[in-house]
Structure formats: C-alpha cells, structure tokens
Amino acid sequence: HGFIKVNIVKKVDLKNGKISGIYFSYSVPAVIAACIFSAYSLADSVFVSRMCGPSSLSAVEICYPLLCVFSCVSVVIGTGGNVLCGIAIGKGEQNEANDVFSEVTLLITSVSLIFALTVIAFTKRFALILGADGTVIGDVCSYLFWCGCFAPFYMLSGWLFLASETAGKPGLAMISSVVSSLGNILLDWLFVVVLKRGVSGASLASGISAALGAMIPLCYFLFADSTLRFQRVRLNIRRTGHMIYNGLSEGVSAVSTGIIAFIYNIIIMKTAGSSVLADFTVALTLINFFGSLLIGASQGIAPMVSVNFGARNYDRIKKAMKTFIGFGIMLSVAVSVFLSAFHNLISNLFKLSDGEMSGYIINAYIPVLILSPISVIIISYFTAIDKAGTSALLSVARTLILRAIIIFAMLRIFGLNGVWFAAGVSEALSLMINIIAYILHNKHYETDSVKKSVESD
C-alpha cells in the first residue's frame, strides 16, 4: 500500500481540477510511458538488426499486422468499456462502473485465449498469409509463435492501462510501462545478445515484458483502494454490444494500421525486396516511436471528456479540447524538428549498410507527426461523448480508406518513391474532414450548453 500511495499515482479530479494541470497530470506520465513503452519495438528492431541482420528485421515487420489484430480486439472492447466506465463515474453510478470494468476484463481474457491457441496451432499458415517468402519464413514463424503464447498479456495490458486512467491514476500506467519496457530491453539483451536466440528471443523478451506490464495494474485493482473494483460479473448483452459499438473507431484504427502495414509490406517485398523493407522498418519504427509520444500527450482527453460529459459539464469539455489541441500542436512541431535534424544519428543504432533510404522515408513522414495529434484528439472526443458512429467513420476514413487509395494512386503515378509520401497526403486530407466534423458538431454542442445554463437559472 505504501507503493500505491506514491505521489505519482495520486488521484486526479477530472470534474473540478484545473484543466492545464489535468493535461500535465495525464500527458507527462503518458509521454514517459509511451516513450518507454515504444522501446518495445525499438529495442526489438535495434537488437535484431544489429545481431541478426536486415532480413530478420524484415521478418519482425512482416509479423506486425497480426499484432495489430490483437490490439484491435483489445481496443474495441477496452475503449468502449472505458467510455461507459467514465460516464458511469461521472453520473455517480459506481456499481455500474464496476460492473462494466469486470465484464470487459472477462471478455478480453476469453478472446485473448482463443487468439493464443489459434496462432500457436497455425503459425506457419499465418506467416504465409502475412507475405513471408522462403528467405524469412523461419524467422517469421519463430516470432509469431511467442506472440501467440503471450497474446493474453498483450491484450490485457492495454485495457488495464486505460482503466487506470479512468480510475484517476494516470501515473499507474506510466509505472507499468516503465517496468515492462525496461524489462524488455534487458531481456532483449539477454536472449538476443547473450543467449543468441535471434528473432525468437526478441519475441520471447517482448512477451515476458508484456506480462510484467499487465501484472502491476492488475495487482492494484485487486488489492488497492481503487475507484474501479472487480465484482461478480453480470453479463449484459445489450451493454456489451454498446461498448463494442463505442470502441469501433479506435478498433478500426488499430486494424487499419495492420492492413496498411500489410499493404506496404507486400508492395515493398514485390518491388524492392527485404533489404528495402528493412530500411522501411527502421524509418517506421522511429516514426512510431516519436508519434507515440504525441499520442500519449493527447490521450488524457478521453477520460476527461467522458467523465465531464456524464456530469454535463459542457463548457469544461470545450476548454479541455482547446488546451489539449494547443499543447499537441506545440509538441508535434518540436518533435518533428528534432527527428528531422537527428534522424541519421538515431538510424545508426540499427547498423544498416545504407541509411539514406530510411532517412528519406522519415522526412516523407514528418507531416504525419505534425498533423496526427489533432485528428487523434478529435476522434477520441467523439468516442468519449458516446458518438461511436461518427468516431468510427472518421477513423476508418483517416487510417484505411484515404490511406489505401492514396498509396495505390501514388504508386501508380510516381512508383515506389510516391508511396513514402502517401501517408502525409492522406493525413492532411483526413484532418480537414475531422475539423469540419468537429465544427459542425460544436453547433449542437453550444446549443446544449445554453440549455444547461437556462435550466440552472
């Protein structure tokens, strides 16, 4: 209990606390957590690239779409359930919040066990579907096997991080990520460098680290004085359908990321081979690393909005949106300038024979880093106010439809070089759509705010 009372996991008052203070209470731990959590893929890529070579690094990238499927299911159930938890807490319906929390945990555990058994049983078939050829299929199968074994921990950790934030404990997610990611780096060194287990060692290290990350918040919810508590599960089919519907936008985003990664992998393998895919993997690893910092800085908006939506604090939600978007823009510009200036130095960690291609791809992706936090905040806003249909539509347009269309269009017009710039073009178009949707919704939002003011008078 002494550990749980550390200042960094103090409870945040989402309904009455100062908005800028809440932003930093969520963003600072989230950025640190995202930075260290992103060391998962970064550490795997660095150790595999330096110790096993570019073809093994390509194998890790080929496995990525399947991991996105794991994430998708966890995010759909977890995000949707998290919104219902936040709204219930805002309304003062604590028993309902605990009921949802317990149901989500049971659902994710059950689905993850099915995923684990399926991947373990059909590892080679999944490897072939993902695009592995004879040069990398052995490494792909090795990596996928351990991913399957630890699927329950990957999926539960994401849900428990979300629940920690809604329970007013954003620092708890940070602590879990720190322990998990530092453990992953240490285990990568042990399995890949010392024991020379190669790609399978990197996957095993990530799996064990995910288990460590899941156990910390799990122990907190089981034994501490938490806002959210486990109780006997009472399955409610209607509520389950509602939470899945609510989480569709974030789930679509996760699975769309996997589909787009699959498209990139197939195009690159067919047109340029595994060496260029390794360059792309390095570039994407760095972009995702820095991009996760920006998303982490913005992720506190969801519990902030859902709790205040339940309490009908509409003006407070509007102020929070301005604060989060303003800070998000400033941080995204700073991160983009840093990465553009120092990407060559950072890329040398991967020990590739030619880092020019990865640097070229990174520069092409800079617009994504600058623009994406705004879209993420707007889409999260619609999810948090129980507008899952709008959120899902905006998300699928941003992460899948526009991206896929522009990738194939630019491939046809400009060849492989055009593919690298497709992400930036699609991000700009989707941002325009998201801003228009938010402005149009705000008219209705302001009307509700006026009504509330009249009622209070």
Side-chain angles (χ1 to χ4, degrees), residues 128-248:
L128 293 172
I129 292 172
L130 291 170
D133 60 18
T135 63
V136 295
I137 192 166
D139 282 340
V140 172
C141 288
S142 297
Y143 198 88
L144 283 179
F145 175 79
W146 290 111
C147 287
C149 290
F150 288 93
F153 296 107
Y154 282 120
M155 296 173 70
L156 274 174
S157 61
W159 154 239
L160 294 174
F161 289 173
L162 287 174
S164 299
E165 292 176 344
T166 299
K169 302 286 185 177
L172 185 63
M174 185 196 74
I175 292 172
S176 302
S177 295
V178 168
V179 172
S180 178
S181 300
L182 291 180
N184 185 53
I185 294 172
L186 179 62
L187 291 171
D188 266 328
W189 172 80
L190 175 63
F191 291 133
V192 179
V193 178
V194 178
L195 300 179
K196 301 188 184 303
R197 291 285 303 272
V199 171
S200 64
S203 184
L204 180 58
S206 294
I208 295 174
S209 302
L212 290 173
M215 292 305 296
I216 291 174
L218 182 61
C219 289
Y220 170 78
F221 287 119
L222 284 172
F223 303 115
D225 184 18
S226 171
T227 300
L228 293 173
R229 295 175 176 274
F230 288 111
Q231 61 187 32
R232 185 176 179 181
V233 178
R234 294 177 295 171
L235 290 177
N236 184 318
I237 301 300
R238 184 176 180 181
R239 184 177 61 197
T240 301
H242 189 190
M243 70 173 66
I244 291 174
Y245 178 69
N246 259 342
L248 279 178

Side-chain angles (χ1 to χ4, degrees), residues 265-387:
N265 292 345
I266 296 298
I267 289 174
I268 295 170
M269 285 293 285
K270 287 187 175 181
T271 59
S274 61
S275 61
V276 175
L277 183 57
D279 290 321
F280 176 72
T281 303
V282 169
L284 203 60
T285 298
L286 294 178
I287 289 293
N288 288 339
F289 178 80
F290 287 97
S292 67
L293 307 187
L294 302 177
I295 293 173
S298 307
Q299 70 184 63
I301 195 67
M304 174 80 184
V305 170
S306 62
V307 168
N308 283 281
F309 182 75
R312 299 184 68 194
N313 293 329
Y314 301 130
D315 287 336
R316 186 170 172 79
I317 293 173
K318 191 173 182 179
K319 291 176 183 177
M321 288 292 291
K322 290 180 179 178
T323 300
F324 274 74
I325 289 176
F327 281 118
I329 291 172
M330 289 190 290
L331 185 59
S332 65
V333 171
V335 166
S336 299
V337 170
F338 175 83
L339 182 57
S340 182
F342 297 103
H343 65 76
N344 284 331
L345 181 64
I346 302 172
S347 295
N348 289 335
L349 289 170
F350 296 87
K351 203 177 180 180
L352 294 179
S353 57
D354 180 12
E356 290 185 10
M357 175 61 76
S358 61
Y360 180 79
I361 298 171
I362 287 172
N363 282 326
Y365 265 79
I366 290 297
V368 179
L369 287 178
I370 295 175
L371 301 176
S372 61
I374 307 172
S375 289
V376 168
I377 289 172
I378 292 174
I379 292 172
S380 296
Y381 162 81
F382 280 110
T383 301
I385 63 170
D386 209 12
K387 296 290 183 182

Side-chain angles (χ1 to χ4, degrees), residues 23 53 67 73 112-113 241 253 266 291 297 300 366 395 421 423:
Y23 173 82
L67 296 179
V73 176
S112 66
L113 289 172
S253 179
I266 296 298
I366 290 297
S395 185
F421 292 90

Side-chain angles (χ1 to χ4, degrees), residues 33-113:
C35 180
I36 299 177
F37 190 73
S38 294
Y40 258 107
S41 58
L42 186 62
D44 282 351
S45 298
V46 169
F47 280 109
V48 169
S49 178
R50 294 183 69 89
M51 299 302 298
C52 308
S55 64
S56 295
L57 183 59
S58 299
V60 174
E61 174 62 21
I62 288 172
C63 297
Y64 179 69
L66 185 63
L67 296 179
C68 289
V69 175
F70 289 176
S71 176
C72 169
V73 176
S74 177
V75 165
V76 166
I77 301 173
T79 302
N82 202 42
V83 169
L84 296 186
C85 282
I87 292 174
I89 290 172
K91 291 179 177 179
E93 299 173 353
Q94 189 59 51
N95 188 63
E96 173 68 11
N98 291 339
D99 220 20
V100 174
F101 172 66
S102 302
E103 182 177 339
V104 171
T105 305
L106 177 63
L107 286 173
I108 291 179
T109 301
S110 302
V111 173
S112 66
L113 289 172

